[in-house]
Amino acid sequence: MKGYVVAGAILTLGMLLAPGPAAGHHSFAAEFDRNRPLELTGTVVKVEWTNPHVWFYFNVRDETTGKVTNWGAEMGPPNVLQARGWTRDTLKIGERITVCGFGAKSDPHMMNASRVVSSAHAEGVDVPGSSSGGCANGLDAGSSANRGGRAKEE
């Protein structure tokens, strides 16, 4: 019996001292700004299907200057996305997308995606595990509205 108590104490101490992914996890409000809704159109250049959150990157061209800016968008965890029908191949490199969500507090070119519209999903696909909202009513694949910036597809 004494062995179980000692083993339990060691296990508990180890769990308390070991760094873990939960220790660094953030809330939506800690990283993203609900007062900064964004709707951007661009071209997918990279998808990172990893824990704790899936990220994708897309290039957005400023309508006024023609300058192309790379944006990063955070979504929910892979297992939550998969449970709602997303796969590693839902977003394809080179695909034109419109993304809406909320901008990051610390990086002007990062956001939390709440909805993604593409040619394959013209009705739009909600992003599970991310904050809802940030989309203009009637968002569709041909939308030229880009709130939060003068941007259009690259």
Side-chain angles (χ1 to χ4, degrees):
M1 180 72 168
K2 186 176 180 182
Y4 288 114
V5 173
V6 172
I10 291 171
L11 179 62
T12 301
L13 183 61
M15 289 173 58
L16 290 173
L17 295 177
H25 198 85
H26 60 270
S27 70
F28 174 87
E31 192 164 344
F32 300 100
D33 185 355
R34 277 201 179 280
N35 295 317
R36 192 173 159 225
L38 297 169
E39 184 177 307
L40 301 169
T41 300
T43 304
V44 177
V45 294
K46 182 178 182 181
V47 178
E48 293 178 349
W49 192 267
T50 59
N51 280 315
H53 294 277
V54 173
W55 280 84
F56 66 91
Y57 300 86
F58 60 111
N59 286 339
V60 176
R61 177 175 290 157
D62 186 297
E63 291 178 344
T64 305
T65 66
K67 179 182 176 186
V68 174
T69 303
N70 184 257
W71 279 79
E74 176 187 77
M75 298 194 292
N79 62 330
V80 173
L81 291 167
Q82 287 173 321
R84 298 288 290 281
W86 282 77
T87 70
R88 291 177 181 272
D89 300 319
T90 299
L91 293 176
K92 296 180 178 21
I93 305 302
E95 181 175 28
R96 177 179 182 250
I97 59 171
T98 298
V99 182
C100 59
F102 298 95
K105 291 179 176 180
S106 63
D107 188 322
H109 300 112
M110 294 286 190
M111 68 186 296
N112 178 274
S114 59
R115 188 165 181 81
V116 178
V117 177
S118 68
S119 55
H121 302 96
E123 72 286 355
V125 181
D126 289 330
V127 178
S130 291
S131 180
S132 62
C135 296
N137 290 332
L139 177 68
D140 61 31
S143 174
S144 61
N146 286 299
R147 295 179 300 139
R150 299 176 311 265
K152 68 177 182 180
E153 187 231 339
E154 152 64 0

